[in-house]
Amino acid sequence: MSTMRTHYCGLVTEELLGQTVSLCGWVHRRRDHGGVIFIDLRDREGLVQVVCHPDNAEVFKAAEHVRNEFCLRITGTVTNRLEGTVNANLKSGKIEINASSVEVLNASVPVPFQLDDDNLSETTRLTHRVLDLRRNQMQHNLRLRYKVSMEVRKYLDNLGFIDIETPMLTKSTPEGARDYLVPSRVNAGNFFALPQSPQLFKQLLMVANFDRYYQITKCFRDEDLRADRQPEFTQIDCETSFLTEQEIRDLFEDMMRVVFKNAAGIDLPNPFPVMDFATAMGMYGSDKPDMRVKLEFTELTELMKSVEFKVFNSAANMTGGRVVGMRVPQGGSMPRSEIDAYTQFVAIYGAKGLAYIKVNEKAKGRDGLQSPIVKNISDEVLAQILELTKAEDGDLIFFGADKAKVVNDAIGALRVKIGHSEFGKKAALFDEVWSPLWVIDFPMFEHDEENNRWTATHHPFTAPKDGHEDMLETNPGACIAKAYDMVLNGWELGGGSIRIHREEVQSKVFRALKIDAEEAQLKFGFLLDALQYGAPPHGGLAFGLDRLITLMTGSESIRDVIAFPKTQRAQCLLTNAPSEVDEKQLKELHIRLRNEPKVA
Amino acid sequence: MSTMRTHYCGLVTEELLGQTVSLCGWVHRRRDHGGVIFIDLRDREGLVQVVCHPDNAEVFKAAEHVRNEFCLRITGTVTNRLEGTVNANLKSGKIEINASSVEVLNASVPVPFQLDDDNLSETTRLTHRVLDLRRNQMQHNLRLRYKVSMEVRKYLDNLGFIDIETPMLTKSTPEGARDYLVPSRVNAGNFFALPQSPQLFKQLLMVANFDRYYQITKCFRDEDLRADRQPEFTQIDCETSFLTEQEIRDLFEDMMRVVFKNAAGIDLPNPFPVMDFATAMGMYGSDKPDMRVKLEFTELTELMKSVEFKVFNSAANMTGGRVVGMRVPQGGSMPRSEIDAYTQFVAIYGAKGLAYIKVNEKAKGRDGLQSPIVKNISDEVLAQILELTKAEDGDLIFFGADKAKVVNDAIGALRVKIGHSEFGKKAALFDEVWSPLWVIDFPMFEHDEENNRWTATHHPFTAPKDGHEDMLETNPGACIAKAYDMVLNGWELGGGSIRIHREEVQSKVFRALKIDAEEAQLKFGFLLDALQYGAPPHGGLAFGLDRLITLMTGSESIRDVIAFPKTQRAQCLLTNAPSEVDEKQLKELHIRLRNEPKVA
């Protein structure tokens, strides 16, 4: 391979028996055994055992001084391990290196933790990120991440997609999420924004006849962070002209199958199931349902409109209210404590309680049901509940009754929670499979009740279904968009849409969103302008790479698939960014600090 | 290919004769000829001729209404062109499409300029960038750019390099160029900086055992812009552990040969010549000499120390002064006007004049020389000048005498200017070839006379030559670095170095640079820390992708190889970024504007 080394440590096998090799790597472990020093030397490909015999005084002396994480260059002969000392877990497990030279390339101070300690706090890990990155799991995660992005590139390259870079210093359009701003030095008082996505630029590239574009690129949102959010995140961003929604979905569905297979050996089903938004919300209370969970909502709103029980009745009759039941097969065995815990759980999502019925023995009617609420419900309605939910003896039915959003969020989350619980797994309510899903036919607009106006469900550049253009202004709530999300195991992997390619339709959407002509021109004039020059029909999709790798690796946080992530307080514990800057720098940028108390 | 189209316009050839095809694209030209309408339809693969006959009334009517840049879907039969109308310049030049259907996918308002107009101002082009990008040249440039980056990825992938993303929101270290800053909302009063390069992160990745890293990534420098500078630019950034300088150079030299060959069909020489920094400065006054130019400096400093002529004498005797001659073969024929023009040209670089001698007839001694300065120079020195410069009858010798920097900049630029001139080409002073060069053995430090201190020639993380570690603090000026630049045709394509991997050497360099321990800890503590944990020997290189593509495409400006560039005033004429932002945004970021007059 090079002057310094002939092989990677982890790849030395019995095929090299008798040969002299030079290896470079780190001391993973050193032990003294029967007067012989054994060093497990580690490089990116894995471990190899190095033996330093006392009969080679120089080697032995050097070996005596090495400590964990010293960086060494070792030359030696590949020999068989002694009978009984073979390590089947290592590729190099049948051999060892009989060292003829041990060179310390760099010493190491004692490390603050053992690399194979799996109980490190995240603060420790992020502070000592360089050592943390030496750990197996992080090595694996970042290599897999690379493999995935390379597989994506190969796939798209084969189909004629080309990677075109779009600007990082771009225009602030305060819609959607908060922008990261960059003050301009040359243009005093003005600011660039870091892109929330290359959305408009990729549309412009379609208008400019690039036909098929992709980019694996950083995007930025200055939002409050959660476990699956980072200030900067990476998008696999794609756009194509002259394809239908179905063709775009087929293309990227196939891409994902190929990528999962080639990068991680995972077989995704073919084809992915497709579900419209209304069905997803109706059956699962979510536009990204985890299809591994075998639980469904039963719609009870109509039924509950005339019941006496006020909790159900008032939810069923309020504007935008909803009542659902969710049958949990064999849930009757659930102890009271577990139900109580779920009651607390749904409260996080705003649910004021969690009604339930245990179905002990249907044949006994009301007497066969166990529940704090059955006394408020008529025999007739109880019978209908059982019929609609298809509940059997031994089942349990949970109920949600509130504003639809609360019901969907709370019972939707409960559905996933139960599915993933011990109980759920025992009761076969959870399939341990990779379960992708297309969710399609999103509404164009959502009603923002607080401000009494319509907002774009995806973004304002999404095309309406054919024939819905005329309703954009007259009946926005009824407009369905050519938008689609790819969901995997309950996570949104990516989403996209056919875009508006006609200026007059785009202008209509802006009007529906109460963006007047002047504001539209100011913010999106360049798009409206471009659409006038024979913009082609086009559409695309963007995948969240961080999330994709988090899923693939089964990581708990996207910070585990990013080399140098920020904390949930948007700080880098390694470099201590962000930090204070010189007054001189601020002056050059024509800004000053406000005198506000500092947040710690 | 899809429902909408079966082929790309530009790829329909006689192989498809008789077949029905559907094409999507833009009206490049429409003409009415003998009652028949001809449309040149354009897509990313090129043009095809579409014929709309009047006997198909519907088609003809539709065709009558189309105008340039309308976006069309056309279905028709592939037929032979009439004898004599074959267009050998087009792949599709032997055939035409006999249209059976013309569908207007989107109309276009009249375009503000003809796409094949080669005399557009840059302002027009950047304002209407979307149309500008439809032009052949821009389509070609961005496709080539993609090809290059993909070839780089393939090459590095084969060698086990992996792409790892480093942060865009990072720490400000006000050294070298000016940072772009990003105010933090969550951490009031603090700022992120956009990276000037991933230098330290890639070193950390080496310490973290990733062994071979690359990234094609955006970097940012808030500097005053020139033709070959942009606020954001793209670097092919590479780093590897356990390779020697020679091995790293060999690797990336081979990569460039492969990339040039595969992406652009260009054969670069094998091997690249190698020149040390001292020689390059001595012979060409530049650390990135354009080796296509057959002109060299002759060192005359020693010789001129004792001449009477004050211009030469004082330059030769001043600290850091230099006197050189540059023989221009056949330059005797240069008219006075051209010499005057060159005198003005070198003034840009600070030269106070441009002395010359025309060598008319050497045999005649002083009388055979034509020059305003020979009267000041002795016969003996004149003879030595002729001997040292190897001037022949008919040649001209230019002289530079000043501080070395002025001489190098001025005569170095003159060298290139003459080489590229009409005269230079006629006099065979210029080879029209691809001429790469390694420049190596850079000094570790440059002396900053103004502040009387040493600064890093490359950056403070560059390793000194073996054995030079001890001189870092005692004799910094004599320290040579393990640094190397790849030069092509006089442009710096990339540069890199072996990095310091020992903490004590790094600390020495910081001290040599007068960065005290406290400051070093504050700014680079995370690096010093990482180096202590067995950092491996490592080094790397970064190439400027924009510059590379500019060179490959023979473009005049790097703006011609970037989809959405900024002007030299760091503005985007398409989106009008940067722009003013809401007071609310500034407030959230804990900053306010200074009340300074705005720059227009």
Side-chain angles (χ1 to χ4, degrees):
Chain A
M1 286 175 69
S2 70
T3 318
M4 272 188 247
R5 65 178 166 190
T6 57
H7 299 81
Y8 279 116
C9 299
L11 301 182
V12 181
T13 65
E14 54 277 19
E15 283 177 28
L16 297 169
L17 272 174
Q19 295 191 29
T20 299
V21 297
S22 292
L23 308 173
C24 293
W26 288 266
V27 177
H28 191 66
R29 204 174 289 110
R30 200 206 67 149
R31 54 197 193 285
D32 218 315
H33 189 71
V36 176
I37 297 176
F38 293 88
I39 295 172
D40 287 343
L41 196 67
R42 185 191 67 237
D43 67 13
R44 69 179 235 181
E45 299 299 337
L47 297 172
V48 71
Q49 178 166 297
V50 177
V51 191
C52 305
H53 288 285
D55 50 358
N56 186 330
E58 208 174 325
V59 161
F60 193 80
K61 196 177 155 201
E64 275 188 311
H65 287 90
V66 309
R67 294 292 175 269
N68 278 2
E69 301 309 319
F70 272 40
C71 182
L72 303 185
R73 175 169 183 254
I74 282 182
T75 301
T77 316
V78 182
T79 56
N80 273 315
R81 291 202 188 191
L82 287 180
E83 200 90 18
T85 63
V86 164
N87 183 343
N89 295 323
L90 296 182
K91 215 177 228 178
S92 71
K94 288 188 181 159
I95 58 91
E96 60 192 12
I97 312 295
N98 191 346
S100 58
S101 135
V102 171
E103 183 187 347
V104 175
L105 296 173
N106 211 351
S108 173
V109 298
V111 289
F113 51 79
Q114 290 305 310
L115 294 199
D116 44 16
D117 183 346
D118 283 334
N119 292 308
L120 301 170
S121 77
E122 192 167 51
T123 302
T124 301
R125 291 180 53 201
L126 293 181
T127 307
H128 300 281
R129 189 55 159 185
V130 178
L131 292 175
D132 185 48
L133 287 174
R134 284 189 189 164
R135 290 147 46 88
N136 268 342
Q137 189 58 48
M138 290 305 298
Q139 291 271 323
H140 169 77
N141 289 358
L142 293 183
R143 274 174 219 291
L144 183 67
R145 184 181 175 115
Y146 171 63
K147 254 188 175 174
V148 166
S149 67
M150 203 61 191
E151 286 295 333
V152 166
R153 290 183 190 280
K154 284 184 199 159
Y155 188 92
L156 292 173
D157 185 69
N158 279 337
L159 292 181
F161 282 79
I162 76 169
D163 178 345
I164 301 180
E165 296 170 61
T166 54
M168 288 284 123
L169 295 172
T170 179
K171 185 183 172 125
S172 179
T173 51
E175 301 255 311
R178 219 181 270 113
D179 281 324
Y180 275 103
L181 295 184
V182 183
S184 166
R185 176 179 56 89
V186 185
N187 304 282
N190 288 334
F191 292 78
F192 293 105
L194 300 179
Q196 296 188 22
S197 97
Q199 180 63 34
L200 293 178
F201 287 109
K202 71 175 173 175
Q203 292 190 229
L204 296 182
L205 288 172
M206 293 303 103
V207 183
N209 186 23
F210 282 97
D211 205 89
R212 296 186 157 195
Y213 144 97
Y214 82 98
Q215 199 182 182
I216 300 182
T217 190
K218 283 280 175 72
C219 301
F220 303 84
R221 282 179 206 172
D222 187 8
E223 293 299 320
D224 297 318
L225 305 175
R226 299 191 312 239
D228 63 343
R229 289 268 179 89
Q230 281 277 302
E232 52 181 303
F233 55 98
T234 304
Q235 236 171 249
I236 305 169
D237 194 51
C238 311
E239 195 81 2
T240 164
S241 298
F242 305 121
L243 289 189
T244 62
E245 176 183 344
Q246 182 69 53
E247 287 164 339
I248 291 178
R249 290 210 317 262
D250 288 348
L251 192 162
F252 290 103
E253 177 179 321
D254 188 61
M255 179 178 96
M256 271 301 143
R257 254 191 309 271
V258 170
V259 168
F260 268 73
K261 183 69 184 172
N262 291 355
I266 295 169
D267 287 299
L268 295 182
N270 185 2
F272 291 3
V274 180
M275 180 178 291
D276 62 37
F277 173 84
T279 305
M281 297 308 289
M283 291 176 69
Y284 309 105
S286 168
D287 60 0
K288 40 182 185 285
D290 185 342
M291 300 304 286
R292 297 172 302 174
V293 175
K294 306 287 141 199
L295 294 171
E296 292 177 3
F297 290 10
T298 302
E299 187 66 56
L300 301 176
T301 311
E302 273 311 309
L303 178 65
M304 296 304 177
K305 279 192 170 157
S306 48
V307 295
E308 303 245 319
F309 185 38
K310 217 179 145 220
V311 173
F312 286 0
N313 157 329
S314 70
N317 285 300
M318 76 170 77
T319 316
R322 188 177 189 195
V323 182
V324 302
M326 182 171 72
R327 172 196 165 212
V328 181
Q330 304 169 51
S333 65
M334 224 179 253
R336 181 60 194 258
S337 60
E338 191 164 349
I339 295 175
D340 287 347
Y342 290 143
T343 308
Q344 288 187 10
F345 175 74
V346 296
I348 301 171
Y349 300 88
K352 292 183 270 305
L354 181 62
Y356 67 90
I357 296 176
K358 282 190 179 178
V359 183
N360 294 336
E361 206 176 339
K362 268 164 64 171
K364 287 193 181 165
R366 170 183 302 272
D367 293 340
L369 304 179
Q370 177 187 342
S371 160
I373 62 165
V374 289
K375 62 179 180 289
N376 303 306
I377 302 177
S378 69
D379 287 347
E380 203 179 22
V381 171
L382 284 175
Q384 285 202 52
I385 290 173
L386 295 182
E387 197 190 320
L388 288 169
T389 58
K390 302 197 179 68
E392 298 294 339
D393 290 355
D395 292 354
L396 176 150
I397 307 164
F398 282 118
F399 295 88
D402 208 315
K403 292 244 171 210
K405 183 171 165 31
V406 172
V407 170
N408 292 337
D409 289 354
I411 308 300
L414 179 63
R415 177 181 165 268
V416 174
K417 182 92 173 167
I418 293 174
H420 285 73
S421 69
E422 281 310 304
F423 166 81
K425 284 175 188 170
K426 231 164 36 197
L429 302 179
F430 184 79
D431 270 356
E432 192 68 58
V433 292
W434 292 93
S435 186
L437 175 74
W438 283 109
V439 177
I440 64 167
D441 288 354
F442 282 78
M444 279 290 286
F445 305 102
E446 283 170 353
H447 198 254
D448 170 359
E449 293 187 25
E450 203 172 316
N451 300 299
N452 189 30
R453 56 169 207 154
W454 294 96
T455 60
T457 305
H458 270 71
H459 55 57
F461 319 108
T462 305
K465 286 263 167 203
D466 297 339
H468 289 211
E469 297 90 344
D470 292 340
M471 299 191 298
L472 288 170
E473 291 179 88
T474 53
N475 188 5
C479 289
I480 302 295
K482 290 181 179 171
Y484 34 84
D485 277 1
M486 188 190 285
V487 175
L488 181 62
N489 293 358
W491 290 40
E492 184 193 327
L493 264 197
S497 62
I498 299 296
R499 326 301 182 182
I500 297 167
H501 71 287
R502 291 179 185 275
E503 191 269 338
E504 68 274 16
V505 178
Q506 186 64 69
S507 291
K508 265 190 194 178
V509 168
F510 285 150
R511 284 197 297 273
L513 294 169
K514 299 277 180 268
I515 300 174
D516 67 27
E518 193 185 346
E519 188 185 354
Q521 197 55 43
L522 193 70
K523 284 184 183 165
F524 305 113
F526 61 98
L527 174 69
L528 292 171
D529 192 50
L531 294 181
Q532 292 191 312
Y533 294 110
H538 63 287
L541 197 99
F543 294 97
L545 180 62
D546 310 290
R547 224 179 255 181
L548 177 57
I549 308 301
T550 306
L551 254 180
M552 259 190 188
T553 57
S555 298
E556 277 179 22
S557 152
I558 66 168
R559 291 184 290 279
D560 281 346
V561 302
I562 295 172
F564 302 105
K566 306 285 189 295
T567 64
Q568 295 199 27
R569 285 198 52 75
Q571 289 171 315
C572 171
L573 297 184
L574 178 72
T575 62
N576 289 323
S579 57
E580 293 182 12
V581 298
D582 293 345
E583 177 64 15
K584 178 169 169 283
Q585 288 175 280
L586 299 182
K587 207 164 177 179
E588 283 185 324
L589 299 175
H590 319 283
I591 58 171
R592 61 172 93 241
L593 296 182
R594 279 172 195 262
N595 289 327
E596 284 184 356
K598 277 193 199 168
V599 179
Chain B
M1 285 176 71
S2 70
T3 318
M4 273 188 242
R5 63 179 168 189
T6 57
H7 299 82
Y8 278 116
C9 298
L11 300 182
V12 181
T13 64
E14 53 276 20
E15 282 177 29
L16 296 170
L17 273 174
Q19 295 191 28
T20 299
V21 296
S22 292
L23 309 174
C24 292
W26 287 267
V27 178
H28 191 66
R29 207 175 285 106
R30 199 206 70 149
R31 53 197 194 285
D32 218 314
H33 187 72
V36 176
I37 296 175
F38 292 88
I39 295 171
D40 287 343
L41 196 67
R42 185 191 68 238
D43 66 16
R44 70 179 236 181
E45 299 299 335
L47 297 172
V48 70
Q49 177 166 294
V50 177
V51 191
C52 305
H53 288 285
D55 51 359
N56 186 329
E58 207 174 324
V59 162
F60 194 79
K61 196 177 157 205
E64 275 188 312
H65 288 91
V66 309
R67 294 292 176 267
N68 278 1
E69 301 308 320
F70 272 41
C71 183
L72 304 184
R73 176 169 183 254
I74 281 182
T75 300
T77 317
V78 182
T79 55
N80 273 314
R81 289 203 190 191
L82 286 181
E83 198 92 18
T85 64
V86 165
N87 183 342
N89 295 324
L90 296 182
K91 212 176 229 179
S92 71
K94 288 187 179 159
I95 59 90
E96 61 192 14
I97 311 296
N98 191 346
S100 58
S101 135
V102 172
E103 183 187 348
V104 175
L105 295 174
N106 211 353
S108 173
V109 297
V111 288
F113 51 78
Q114 289 304 310
L115 292 201
D116 44 16
D117 183 345
D118 283 331
N119 292 309
L120 301 170
S121 76
E122 193 169 51
T123 302
T124 302
R125 290 180 53 203
L126 293 181
T127 307
H128 299 282
R129 189 57 158 184
V130 178
L131 293 174
D132 186 47
L133 286 174
R134 285 188 188 167
R135 291 147 46 88
N136 269 341
Q137 190 58 46
M138 290 305 300
Q139 291 271 322
H140 170 76
N141 289 358
L142 293 183
R143 272 173 222 292
L144 184 67
R145 184 180 176 116
Y146 170 62
K147 254 187 175 173
V148 166
S149 68
M150 202 60 191
E151 287 294 333
V152 166
R153 289 183 191 281
K154 283 183 198 160
Y155 187 92
L156 292 174
D157 185 68
N158 279 336
L159 292 182
F161 282 79
I162 76 167
D163 178 346
I164 301 180
E165 297 170 60
T166 54
M168 289 283 124
L169 295 173
T170 178
K171 184 183 171 125
S172 180
T173 52
E175 300 257 310
R178 215 181 272 113
D179 281 325
Y180 275 103
L181 295 184
V182 182
S184 165
R185 175 179 58 87
V186 185
N187 304 281
N190 289 334
F191 293 77
F192 293 104
L194 300 178
Q196 295 189 25
S197 97
Q199 182 61 38
L200 293 178
F201 287 110
K202 71 176 173 175
Q203 292 190 228
L204 296 182
L205 289 171
M206 292 305 103
V207 183
N209 186 22
F210 283 98
D211 203 87
R212 299 188 152 193
Y213 143 98
Y214 83 97
Q215 196 182 183
I216 301 182
T217 189
K218 284 281 175 71
C219 300
F220 303 83
R221 283 180 205 172
D222 186 9
E223 292 300 317
D224 297 319
L225 305 175
R226 301 190 312 240
D228 63 341
R229 288 270 180 86
Q230 283 277 303
E232 52 181 302
F233 55 98
T234 304
Q235 234 170 251
I236 304 170
D237 194 50
C238 310
E239 195 81 2
T240 163
S241 298
F242 305 121
L243 290 189
T244 63
E245 177 183 345
Q246 183 68 53
E247 288 164 338
I248 291 178
R249 289 212 317 265
D250 288 348
L251 192 162
F252 290 104
E253 177 179 323
D254 187 62
M255 178 179 95
M256 271 300 144
R257 254 191 309 274
V258 170
V259 168
F260 268 74
K261 183 68 184 174
N262 291 355
I266 295 169
D267 287 298
L268 295 183
N270 184 3
F272 291 4
V274 179
M275 183 179 289
D276 62 39
F277 173 85
T279 306
M281 297 307 290
M283 294 178 66
Y284 310 107
S286 168
D287 61 359
K288 41 180 185 283
D290 186 341
M291 300 304 287
R292 297 171 303 173
V293 176
K294 305 288 139 198
L295 295 171
E296 291 177 2
F297 289 10
T298 302
E299 187 66 55
L300 301 176
T301 310
E302 274 310 311
L303 179 64
M304 297 303 177
K305 280 195 167 153
S306 49
V307 296
E308 305 243 319
F309 184 37
K310 214 178 146 220
V311 172
F312 287 1
N313 159 327
S314 70
N317 286 300
M318 75 171 77
T319 315
R322 187 177 192 195
V323 182
V324 303
M326 183 171 70
R327 173 195 165 212
V328 181
Q330 305 170 49
S333 66
M334 221 180 254
R336 180 60 195 257
S337 59
E338 191 164 348
I339 294 175
D340 287 348
Y342 289 143
T343 307
Q344 289 188 8
F345 174 73
V346 295
I348 301 171
Y349 300 88
K352 291 182 269 308
L354 181 60
Y356 67 90
I357 297 176
K358 282 189 177 178
V359 183
N360 293 336
E361 208 177 338
K362 266 165 64 172
K364 286 192 183 167
R366 172 183 301 273
D367 294 342
L369 303 179
Q370 179 187 339
S371 159
I373 63 163
V374 288
K375 60 179 183 294
N376 303 308
I377 302 178
S378 70
D379 288 346
E380 203 181 17
V381 170
L382 284 176
Q384 288 204 50
I385 290 174
L386 296 182
E387 199 191 318
L388 289 167
T389 58
K390 303 196 178 72
E392 298 294 338
D393 290 356
D395 292 354
L396 176 149
I397 306 165
F398 282 118
F399 294 89
D402 207 315
K403 292 243 171 214
K405 182 172 164 34
V406 173
V407 170
N408 292 337
D409 289 355
I411 309 300
L414 178 64
R415 178 182 165 268
V416 173
K417 182 93 174 164
I418 293 175
H420 286 74
S421 69
E422 281 309 304
F423 165 80
K425 287 179 183 166
K426 231 165 35 199
L429 302 179
F430 185 81
D431 271 356
E432 191 68 58
V433 293
W434 292 93
S435 186
L437 175 75
W438 282 108
V439 178
I440 64 167
D441 288 353
F442 282 79
M444 278 290 287
F445 305 103
E446 283 169 353
H447 198 253
D448 171 359
E449 295 188 23
E450 205 173 315
N451 300 301
N452 189 31
R453 54 168 210 158
W454 295 96
T455 61
T457 305
H458 270 72
H459 54 57
F461 318 109
T462 305
K465 286 261 170 206
D466 296 338
H468 288 212
E469 297 89 345
D470 292 339
M471 299 191 295
L472 288 169
E473 292 180 87
T474 54
N475 189 5
C479 289
I480 302 294
K482 290 183 179 170
Y484 34 83
D485 277 1
M486 189 190 285
V487 176
L488 181 62
N489 293 359
W491 290 39
E492 184 194 326
L493 264 196
S497 62
I498 300 294
R499 326 300 182 184
I500 296 167
H501 70 288
R502 290 180 185 275
E503 190 270 337
E504 69 273 16
V505 178
Q506 186 64 70
S507 291
K508 267 189 192 180
V509 168
F510 285 150
R511 284 197 298 272
L513 294 168
K514 299 274 180 273
I515 300 175
D516 66 26
E518 193 186 345
E519 188 185 356
Q521 198 53 43
L522 194 69
K523 284 182 183 166
F524 306 113
F526 61 99
L527 174 70
L528 292 171
D529 192 50
L531 293 182
Q532 292 190 313
Y533 293 110
H538 63 287
L541 197 101
F543 294 98
L545 181 62
D546 310 291
R547 225 179 252 180
L548 177 60
I549 309 300
T550 307
L551 255 180
M552 259 192 188
T553 57
S555 298
E556 279 178 21
S557 154
I558 65 168
R559 291 184 290 280
D560 281 347
V561 302
I562 296 172
F564 302 104
K566 306 286 188 295
T567 64
Q568 294 198 27
R569 285 198 51 73
Q571 290 171 314
C572 171
L573 297 184
L574 178 72
T575 62
N576 289 324
S579 57
E580 293 180 13
V581 298
D582 294 346
E583 176 63 16
K584 176 169 168 285
Q585 289 175 279
L586 298 183
K587 207 164 175 179
E588 283 184 323
L589 298 175
H590 319 283
I591 58 172
R592 61 172 93 240
L593 296 182
R594 278 171 196 265
N595 288 327
E596 284 182 354
K598 276 193 201 172
V599 180

